[in-house]
């Protein structure tokens, strides 16, 4: 059982930056097969943002690589999502999720992810 707690969300102006954190307990993130960030804006479908495999391979959603950076601190058992040059379109609730499946098999299909945090809100104003 993996327990995930997100933090770091907030309100920023367009062009600003935020760093989201996902603190895990109950299991080591480096032992979990796939951990990812998703986001969901009001009225829109949940979207995969970035994922990292237990082997450290990262993957990003379309058009997000270059602005978003995913990293993992094994000592802190925490996943970080650095977000730069934020746009109003990035406004959403951001969720951390973990899967016992391989990232290359799960992709960003949310139904493969068993464990979810409560989310942290990111609001970007123009």
């Amino acid at each position: 059982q993996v327990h995930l707690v997100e933090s770091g969300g907030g309100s920023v102006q367009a062009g600003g930056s935020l760093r989201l954190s996902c603190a895990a307990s109950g299991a080591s993130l480096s032992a979990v097969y796939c951990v990812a960030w998703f986001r969901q804006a009001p009225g829109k479908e949940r979207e995969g943002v970035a994922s990292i495999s237990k082997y450290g391979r990262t993957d990003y959603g379309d058009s997000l690589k270059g602005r978003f950076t995913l990293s993992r601190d094994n000592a802190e058992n925490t996943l970080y999502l650095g977000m730069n040059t934020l746009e109003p379109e990035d406004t959403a609730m951001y969720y951390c999720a973990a899967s016992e499946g391989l990232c290359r098999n799960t992709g960003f299909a949310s139904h493969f992810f068993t464990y979810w945090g409560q989310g942290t809100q990111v609001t970007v104003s123009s």
Side-chain angles (χ1 to χ4, degrees), residues 61-79:
D62 293 341
S63 78
L64 296 178
K65 189 174 183 179
R67 293 195 300 123
F68 289 14
T69 303
L70 184 63
S71 61
R72 184 178 67 204
D73 186 324
N74 292 337
E76 296 293 327
N77 206 25
T78 299
L79 192 68

Side-chain angles (χ1 to χ4, degrees), residues 2 27-35 52-55 72 98-101 115:
V2 181
S28 172
L29 287 179
S30 61
V32 175
Y33 281 106
C34 189
V35 189
I52 186 166
S53 73
K54 65 178 293 185
Y55 308 108
R72 184 178 67 204
S99 171
E100 295 173 346
Y115 308 102

Side-chain angles (χ1 to χ4, degrees), residues 4 9 11 18 29 32 48 56 69-70 77 84 93 97 104 108 117 119:
L4 304 169
S11 297
L18 282 173
L29 287 179
V32 175
T69 303
L70 184 63
N77 206 25
N84 296 316
M93 184 72 80
R104 66 171 182 261
F108 289 118

